[in-house]
Amino acid sequence: MAGTQATYSRKDHERAERLRYLGDIALVILGIVVVWQILHMLAGDVAISSPLATAIRAGELLGSANFWPHAGETAKALVYALVIALLIGIGVGTWLGAHKLSGAVAEPILVALYSLPKITLYPLILLIFGLGIEAKIAFGAIHGVIPVTIFTMNAVKNINRVFLRSARVMKLTTMQTVTRILLPATLPEIVSGLRVGFSLTLLGVVIGELFSSHRGMGFLVMRAIGLHDVSTMMAVTLILAVAAVAISSILLYIDNRLHRRT
Amino acid sequence: MNRLTLIRTVVIVAFFGLLEILCRTGIISPFTMIPPSEMAVELWLLIASGEVARGMRQTLGNVAVACFFAITVGFAVGAGVHAVPRLRRALDPFLTTYYAVPFFVFYPLLVFIFGMNNFPMIMIGFLFAVVAMIINTLNGLDKIPRVYRKVARMHHMGRTKTALLIELPYAIPNLFTGVKLAVAYSFIGVIAAEFILAPGGLGYAISFAYDNFDNNTMYALMLFILVLVTIINMSLHAYERRLLRRQGR
Amino acid sequence: MSHEVHARLEGVTRVYPAVAGNPPVHALGPIDLDLRKGEFFSIVGPSGCGKSTCMDVLAGLAPPTKGTVWFEDKRVHGNVPDGIGAVFQEDASFPWLTVEDNAAFGLRRAGVDAAEIRRRVEYALSFMGLKDFAKAYPAQLSGGMRQRVCIARTLVLQPRLILLDEPFGALDAQTRLLMGDELLKLWRETGATVLLITHALDEAAMLSDRIGAMSARPGRFLETVETGWSRDRDSRMLEGETFGHITGRLWQMLRSESKRAMGHEGGVA
Ligand SMILES: Nc1ncnc2c1ncn2[C@@H]1O[C@H](COP(=O)(O)OP(=O)(O)OP(=O)(O)O)[C@@H](O)[C@H]1O
Ligand SMILES: [Mg+2]
């Protein structure tokens, strides 16, 4: 049949399309590197190290034993902060989503908190938690908890009430209702919240490290600048940026997959 | 005042009341936090002394510049990219992961290159805000239904007229969302930059007070920034809601 | 009978070119159609058969892939001629303008003077039953009322050919009939040629001088039915016997086509 041929050509077309898309993305990355190189040539080694030099320095750092404790510190703070943000955010978000009045009262407050420069609160955090990792965790969690709450709240609020009524008709237990209906219905939005929450939590942790801290990637940047060591500073920044984009892309991929299903 | 606003006000007042009590009874030590009422008094004294005004002028000036460029450049780039679908598709993943990069790590570098002046702060505020504007511009232009372009052609309108008289007005509420975020993000960027490393401004004043164990000034300024930014953000938010409601979205 | 031809489609087809790996879509034709000056012509046909495409081609919004389109002795080929007004299937009211500013949009663009604009807008709004909503925004109106705003916006330009793509799709059956009466009144008063696209057979049967029944995609005219109504008709003819004959006739032609459009009877290319 003629249809078979059409399907083949369509598959080919899709493959070609995909290749072109990846090629375009590579071009964008190339563009960024070229701009960087030009900036380097304009500003010189003292201000901006070249992409190549930065990459080499990043390689050295990744191979050195001194680097990993700092990376580990940042990662640890990030993970703790994110877990706290998720637990509180999902809990509070579920309550605000299920209870109409609380949700309506809280929503503008959450929106206001979301766009505050939370950095102003950092001294308070430091006074409460001291200069250790706890302050960074708390600060990261403060950043991350709000988007997780907002996304969860909206997810729970928008659950189709018919689902819940059918659950009752089908005589599901509470546990079954949660695992079979509530969780699948809200998961895509919660993952979106996690994705935004991840970005903000990392931002919070790193700001914490840039300010009165003695460990972590942010600290490495601040120390390097004190030593006028531009290539290290840029290498650490590069590693952090690439790691952040990589994790965020994975979350974005999962996010898109989950959303396509609904 | 409607019931929701009333409850909300009660909640907020209760929160500060609780803080006041905790501080007054010493459950929260005065070395950690001073009672909100004292913050207000201190703030009043600071404002009277003219110190707040000086810091505020610098901060607001930087925010205004960062924000202006973020909005204009963001809109121009957004509109340009929207016109080239292939470029837009290639840029999309970068735009969505942009905010995953903790931008403030670039700040020391900027200070290093440009020196300790307003420029690096404006730059950080700009970098932080511009992508929100780009994303919302793309979003707004995406949402224009195709039928409006048909209507434009039925009225014999050219490309420019269509853009100015149909596409732009249709996209305004979404563009305003971008403006709102650009303002909020510029504030976050500029104040955080001042806080980390700066020659002056409100954020710097807070970190200076922190370094000198001057809790009274520090809390007064915190209160000031939080109230100021909340008022600005909430006004923009209210206006955005009005625009959206008028367009029935 | 001799009739002056107002617009003509000759051997018109429209094929949407292939995009993103999807094969090209042959949406319409080949069709021939003569619209007579001053007549009320309706097109009925199963969903997706190419009715809206046909209207786009006629209005000059899309060039025909093959064939030619004429309007008042001028060739239309993907450029919108003067004297045609179109109301689209989707809501296209401008949400940022009040109802009266919506209606005045085209006149302002054409540089008509203010007094004349006011006169025509007032007339069109009261005609469409929107007088009390002149200062309202479309968001405050129902879907059917918004569609009426679009009709008013087109009417004020006094087009000689009016194209209407399912303008009452958002209305309940009773209101549709009443709007149909209004439409007939409008048609009589303006003397314009009207091309109405609809999926409601009764609507087509009651309003039209002639009805073109379209096949499933690619849309072709199966047959053109003359109703023979007098010019001052209205919805009361629903009671008559002829009405039942016409709708019955249309359904007879369209039943199998509609099934085909739903994919029930194979062979859908
Ligand atoms: N821009 C386009 N690109 C590709 N295919 C299109 C495009 N517009 C319409 N089509 C296809 O052309 C065919 C005819 O579409 P059209 O909108 O003209 O149908 P219609 O008769 O108006 O349908 P409905 O009754 O649902 O309004 C459909 O199969 C549709 O999917
Ligand atoms: Mg249609």
Side-chain angles (χ1 to χ4, degrees), chain C residues 76-117:
Chain C
V76 179
H77 190 87
N79 53 320
V80 180
D82 271 328
I84 298 188
V87 176
F88 298 99
Q89 192 169 7
E90 304 88 357
D91 169 27
S93 58
F94 299 140
W96 62 94
L97 295 178
T98 59
V99 167
E100 59 181 4
D101 287 337
N102 257 286
F105 183 84
L107 295 173
R108 298 219 169 102
R109 298 270 331 108
V112 177
D113 74 271
E116 177 67 7
I117 292 180

Short mmCIF file of all heavy atoms in Angstrom, two decimals, chain C residues 76-117:
data_model
loop_
_atom_site.label_atom_id
_atom_site.label_comp_id
_atom_site.label_asym_id
_atom_site.label_seq_id
_atom_site.Cartn_x
_atom_site.Cartn_y
_atom_site.Cartn_z
N VAL C 76 -8.85 36.94 -7.66
CA VAL C 76 -8.40 36.91 -6.27
C VAL C 76 -7.36 35.81 -6.19
O VAL C 76 -7.63 34.70 -6.58
CB VAL C 76 -9.56 36.53 -5.32
CG1 VAL C 76 -9.08 36.48 -3.89
CG2 VAL C 76 -10.71 37.49 -5.48
N HIS C 77 -6.16 36.14 -5.75
CA HIS C 77 -5.19 35.05 -5.62
C HIS C 77 -4.33 35.32 -4.40
O HIS C 77 -3.24 35.88 -4.47
CB HIS C 77 -4.33 34.94 -6.87
CG HIS C 77 -3.49 33.70 -6.87
ND1 HIS C 77 -3.93 32.48 -7.34
CD2 HIS C 77 -2.25 33.48 -6.41
CE1 HIS C 77 -2.99 31.57 -7.18
NE2 HIS C 77 -1.95 32.15 -6.63
N GLY C 78 -4.86 34.96 -3.22
CA GLY C 78 -4.10 35.13 -2.00
C GLY C 78 -3.92 36.58 -1.60
O GLY C 78 -3.03 36.91 -0.82
N ASN C 79 -4.75 37.50 -2.18
CA ASN C 79 -4.75 38.87 -1.67
C ASN C 79 -6.19 39.31 -1.50
O ASN C 79 -7.04 39.02 -2.33
CB ASN C 79 -4.00 39.81 -2.61
CG ASN C 79 -4.50 39.71 -4.02
OD1 ASN C 79 -4.80 38.61 -4.50
ND2 ASN C 79 -4.66 40.82 -4.69
N VAL C 80 -6.47 39.98 -0.37
CA VAL C 80 -7.85 40.25 0.01
C VAL C 80 -8.41 41.42 -0.80
O VAL C 80 -7.87 42.52 -0.72
CB VAL C 80 -7.93 40.58 1.51
CG1 VAL C 80 -9.37 40.87 1.92
CG2 VAL C 80 -7.35 39.44 2.33
N PRO C 81 -9.46 41.20 -1.59
CA PRO C 81 -10.01 42.31 -2.37
C PRO C 81 -10.90 43.20 -1.50
O PRO C 81 -11.33 42.80 -0.43
CB PRO C 81 -10.84 41.60 -3.44
CG PRO C 81 -11.20 40.29 -2.84
CD PRO C 81 -10.15 39.93 -1.83
N ASP C 82 -11.14 44.42 -1.96
CA ASP C 82 -12.08 45.30 -1.28
C ASP C 82 -13.49 44.77 -1.43
O ASP C 82 -13.81 44.13 -2.43
CB ASP C 82 -12.02 46.70 -1.93
CG ASP C 82 -10.97 47.55 -1.27
OD1 ASP C 82 -10.76 47.35 -0.05
OD2 ASP C 82 -10.36 48.38 -1.95
N GLY C 83 -14.32 45.04 -0.42
CA GLY C 83 -15.73 44.71 -0.57
C GLY C 83 -16.11 43.36 -0.01
O GLY C 83 -17.26 42.96 -0.10
N ILE C 84 -15.15 42.62 0.56
CA ILE C 84 -15.49 41.35 1.20
C ILE C 84 -15.31 41.49 2.70
O ILE C 84 -14.31 42.04 3.16
CB ILE C 84 -14.58 40.19 0.69
CG1 ILE C 84 -14.78 39.98 -0.80
CG2 ILE C 84 -14.91 38.91 1.45
CD1 ILE C 84 -14.08 38.75 -1.35
N GLY C 85 -16.29 41.03 3.46
CA GLY C 85 -16.17 41.01 4.91
C GLY C 85 -16.27 39.57 5.38
O GLY C 85 -16.99 38.77 4.79
N ALA C 86 -15.49 39.22 6.42
CA ALA C 86 -15.51 37.83 6.87
C ALA C 86 -15.65 37.77 8.39
O ALA C 86 -15.06 38.55 9.11
CB ALA C 86 -14.22 37.12 6.45
N VAL C 87 -16.47 36.83 8.84
CA VAL C 87 -16.57 36.53 10.27
C VAL C 87 -16.11 35.08 10.42
O VAL C 87 -16.65 34.19 9.77
CB VAL C 87 -18.01 36.70 10.78
CG1 VAL C 87 -18.10 36.28 12.24
CG2 VAL C 87 -18.46 38.13 10.60
N PHE C 88 -15.10 34.89 11.26
CA PHE C 88 -14.48 33.57 11.31
C PHE C 88 -15.12 32.67 12.34
O PHE C 88 -15.85 33.12 13.23
CB PHE C 88 -12.98 33.72 11.59
CG PHE C 88 -12.28 34.48 10.50
CD1 PHE C 88 -11.99 35.83 10.64
CD2 PHE C 88 -11.95 33.84 9.32
CE1 PHE C 88 -11.37 36.53 9.62
CE2 PHE C 88 -11.33 34.54 8.29
CZ PHE C 88 -11.05 35.89 8.44
N GLN C 89 -14.78 31.39 12.20
CA GLN C 89 -15.34 30.37 13.09
C GLN C 89 -14.90 30.60 14.54
O GLN C 89 -15.67 30.44 15.46
CB GLN C 89 -14.82 29.01 12.59
CG GLN C 89 -15.49 27.82 13.18
CD GLN C 89 -15.07 26.56 12.41
OE1 GLN C 89 -14.20 26.58 11.55
NE2 GLN C 89 -15.70 25.46 12.73
N GLU C 90 -13.63 30.98 14.72
CA GLU C 90 -13.12 31.21 16.07
C GLU C 90 -13.48 32.62 16.50
O GLU C 90 -13.63 33.51 15.69
CB GLU C 90 -11.59 31.06 16.11
CG GLU C 90 -11.07 29.74 15.60
CD GLU C 90 -10.84 29.75 14.09
OE1 GLU C 90 -11.15 30.77 13.44
OE2 GLU C 90 -10.37 28.73 13.56
N ASP C 91 -13.58 32.81 17.80
CA ASP C 91 -13.84 34.14 18.35
C ASP C 91 -12.65 35.04 18.03
O ASP C 91 -11.53 34.75 18.40
CB ASP C 91 -14.03 34.04 19.86
CG ASP C 91 -14.05 35.41 20.52
OD1 ASP C 91 -14.43 36.38 19.85
OD2 ASP C 91 -13.70 35.48 21.71
N ALA C 92 -12.91 36.14 17.33
CA ALA C 92 -11.82 37.04 16.97
C ALA C 92 -12.11 38.46 17.43
O ALA C 92 -11.58 39.42 16.90
CB ALA C 92 -11.58 37.00 15.46
N SER C 93 -12.98 38.59 18.46
CA SER C 93 -13.19 39.94 19.00
C SER C 93 -11.91 40.38 19.69
O SER C 93 -11.16 39.56 20.21
CB SER C 93 -14.36 39.92 19.99
OG SER C 93 -14.10 39.00 21.03
N PHE C 94 -11.65 41.69 19.68
CA PHE C 94 -10.42 42.19 20.29
C PHE C 94 -10.66 42.38 21.79
O PHE C 94 -11.40 43.28 22.18
CB PHE C 94 -10.02 43.52 19.66
CG PHE C 94 -9.74 43.43 18.19
CD1 PHE C 94 -10.16 44.43 17.33
CD2 PHE C 94 -9.06 42.34 17.65
CE1 PHE C 94 -9.91 44.35 15.96
CE2 PHE C 94 -8.79 42.26 16.29
CZ PHE C 94 -9.23 43.26 15.45
N PRO C 95 -10.01 41.57 22.63
CA PRO C 95 -10.34 41.63 24.06
C PRO C 95 -9.89 42.95 24.73
O PRO C 95 -10.35 43.25 25.82
CB PRO C 95 -9.58 40.43 24.65
CG PRO C 95 -8.55 40.07 23.66
CD PRO C 95 -9.07 40.49 22.32
N TRP C 96 -9.02 43.70 24.07
CA TRP C 96 -8.53 44.93 24.71
C TRP C 96 -9.38 46.15 24.35
O TRP C 96 -9.12 47.25 24.82
CB TRP C 96 -7.06 45.19 24.33
CG TRP C 96 -6.85 45.40 22.86
CD1 TRP C 96 -6.81 46.61 22.22
CD2 TRP C 96 -6.66 44.41 21.87
NE1 TRP C 96 -6.63 46.41 20.88
CE2 TRP C 96 -6.52 45.07 20.63
CE3 TRP C 96 -6.59 43.01 21.88
CZ2 TRP C 96 -6.31 44.38 19.43
CZ3 TRP C 96 -6.40 42.34 20.68
CH2 TRP C 96 -6.27 43.01 19.49
N LEU C 97 -10.40 45.95 23.50
CA LEU C 97 -11.25 47.07 23.12
C LEU C 97 -12.68 46.84 23.61
O LEU C 97 -13.13 45.69 23.70
CB LEU C 97 -11.28 47.22 21.59
CG LEU C 97 -9.98 47.60 20.89
CD1 LEU C 97 -10.19 47.66 19.38
CD2 LEU C 97 -9.46 48.94 21.40
N THR C 98 -13.39 47.93 23.90
CA THR C 98 -14.80 47.80 24.26
C THR C 98 -15.58 47.37 23.01
O THR C 98 -15.05 47.41 21.90
CB THR C 98 -15.37 49.14 24.73
OG1 THR C 98 -15.22 50.08 23.69
CG2 THR C 98 -14.67 49.63 25.99
N VAL C 99 -16.82 46.99 23.24
CA VAL C 99 -17.64 46.52 22.13
C VAL C 99 -17.73 47.58 21.03
O VAL C 99 -17.54 47.30 19.85
CB VAL C 99 -19.05 46.14 22.64
CG1 VAL C 99 -20.02 45.95 21.48
CG2 VAL C 99 -18.97 44.87 23.46
N GLU C 100 -17.95 48.86 21.43
CA GLU C 100 -18.10 49.87 20.38
C GLU C 100 -16.77 50.14 19.67
O GLU C 100 -16.75 50.38 18.47
CB GLU C 100 -18.72 51.15 20.93
CG GLU C 100 -17.95 51.80 22.04
CD GLU C 100 -18.67 53.06 22.55
OE1 GLU C 100 -19.78 53.33 22.06
OE2 GLU C 100 -18.10 53.74 23.42
N ASP C 101 -15.67 50.09 20.42
CA ASP C 101 -14.37 50.29 19.76
C ASP C 101 -14.05 49.12 18.84
O ASP C 101 -13.42 49.30 17.79
CB ASP C 101 -13.26 50.46 20.79
CG ASP C 101 -13.35 51.82 21.47
OD1 ASP C 101 -13.94 52.73 20.86
OD2 ASP C 101 -12.86 51.96 22.60
N ASN C 102 -14.46 47.91 19.25
CA ASN C 102 -14.33 46.76 18.36
C ASN C 102 -15.04 47.02 17.04
O ASN C 102 -14.48 46.85 15.97
CB ASN C 102 -14.95 45.52 19.02
CG ASN C 102 -13.92 44.59 19.59
OD1 ASN C 102 -13.24 43.88 18.85
ND2 ASN C 102 -13.77 44.60 20.91
N ALA C 103 -16.30 47.49 17.17
CA ALA C 103 -17.10 47.68 15.97
C ALA C 103 -16.52 48.79 15.10
O ALA C 103 -16.61 48.74 13.87
CB ALA C 103 -18.54 48.01 16.36
N ALA C 104 -15.90 49.78 15.74
CA ALA C 104 -15.39 50.93 14.98
C ALA C 104 -14.01 50.67 14.38
O ALA C 104 -13.51 51.48 13.59
CB ALA C 104 -15.34 52.15 15.89
N PHE C 105 -13.41 49.54 14.74
CA PHE C 105 -12.00 49.29 14.37
C PHE C 105 -11.72 49.52 12.88
O PHE C 105 -10.84 50.30 12.52
CB PHE C 105 -11.63 47.86 14.78
CG PHE C 105 -10.20 47.52 14.52
CD1 PHE C 105 -9.21 47.85 15.44
CD2 PHE C 105 -9.82 46.86 13.34
CE1 PHE C 105 -7.89 47.54 15.19
CE2 PHE C 105 -8.49 46.55 13.11
CZ PHE C 105 -7.53 46.89 14.03
N GLY C 106 -12.48 48.85 12.05
CA GLY C 106 -12.22 48.91 10.62
C GLY C 106 -12.43 50.32 10.06
O GLY C 106 -11.68 50.78 9.20
N LEU C 107 -13.46 50.99 10.56
CA LEU C 107 -13.76 52.33 10.08
C LEU C 107 -12.64 53.30 10.45
O LEU C 107 -12.25 54.16 9.66
CB LEU C 107 -15.09 52.82 10.66
CG LEU C 107 -16.31 52.02 10.21
CD1 LEU C 107 -17.55 52.45 10.97
CD2 LEU C 107 -16.53 52.21 8.72
N ARG C 108 -12.12 53.17 11.66
CA ARG C 108 -11.01 54.03 12.07
C ARG C 108 -9.80 53.78 11.18
O ARG C 108 -9.10 54.70 10.78
CB ARG C 108 -10.64 53.77 13.54
CG ARG C 108 -11.76 54.09 14.49
CD ARG C 108 -11.28 54.76 15.77
NE ARG C 108 -12.44 55.26 16.50
CZ ARG C 108 -12.96 54.64 17.56
NH1 ARG C 108 -12.38 53.56 18.06
NH2 ARG C 108 -14.04 55.12 18.14
N ARG C 109 -9.55 52.50 10.89
CA ARG C 109 -8.42 52.16 10.03
C ARG C 109 -8.59 52.80 8.66
O ARG C 109 -7.64 53.21 8.02
CB ARG C 109 -8.31 50.64 9.85
CG ARG C 109 -8.05 49.85 11.10
CD ARG C 109 -6.58 49.66 11.41
NE ARG C 109 -5.76 49.66 10.23
CZ ARG C 109 -4.96 50.67 9.90
NH1 ARG C 109 -4.86 51.71 10.68
NH2 ARG C 109 -4.23 50.59 8.82
N ALA C 110 -9.86 52.89 8.20
CA ALA C 110 -10.11 53.41 6.86
C ALA C 110 -10.20 54.93 6.86
O ALA C 110 -10.37 55.54 5.80
CB ALA C 110 -11.39 52.80 6.31
N GLY C 111 -10.10 55.54 8.05
CA GLY C 111 -10.09 56.99 8.11
C GLY C 111 -11.45 57.64 7.86
O GLY C 111 -11.54 58.78 7.39
N VAL C 112 -12.52 56.92 8.20
CA VAL C 112 -13.87 57.50 8.06
C VAL C 112 -14.05 58.57 9.16
O VAL C 112 -13.50 58.44 10.24
CB VAL C 112 -14.92 56.39 8.22
CG1 VAL C 112 -16.32 56.94 8.17
CG2 VAL C 112 -14.71 55.33 7.15
N ASP C 113 -14.81 59.62 8.88
CA ASP C 113 -14.89 60.69 9.88
C ASP C 113 -15.76 60.29 11.07
O ASP C 113 -16.63 59.42 10.98
CB ASP C 113 -15.38 62.02 9.26
CG ASP C 113 -16.85 61.99 8.96
OD1 ASP C 113 -17.19 61.56 7.84
OD2 ASP C 113 -17.65 62.38 9.85
N ALA C 114 -15.50 60.94 12.21
CA ALA C 114 -16.01 60.48 13.51
C ALA C 114 -17.53 60.38 13.56
O ALA C 114 -18.08 59.41 14.10
CB ALA C 114 -15.50 61.40 14.62
N ALA C 115 -18.21 61.36 13.00
CA ALA C 115 -19.68 61.36 13.07
C ALA C 115 -20.24 60.15 12.33
O ALA C 115 -21.15 59.46 12.82
CB ALA C 115 -20.22 62.64 12.46
N GLU C 116 -19.66 59.88 11.16
CA GLU C 116 -20.10 58.74 10.37
C GLU C 116 -19.82 57.43 11.10
O GLU C 116 -20.66 56.52 11.10
CB GLU C 116 -19.39 58.77 9.00
CG GLU C 116 -19.69 57.61 8.08
CD GLU C 116 -21.13 57.59 7.58
OE1 GLU C 116 -21.86 58.57 7.85
OE2 GLU C 116 -21.52 56.59 6.95
N ILE C 117 -18.64 57.36 11.74
CA ILE C 117 -18.32 56.16 12.50
C ILE C 117 -19.37 55.94 13.58
O ILE C 117 -19.91 54.84 13.73
CB ILE C 117 -16.92 56.28 13.16
CG1 ILE C 117 -15.83 56.28 12.10
CG2 ILE C 117 -16.69 55.13 14.15
CD1 ILE C 117 -14.43 56.39 12.64
#
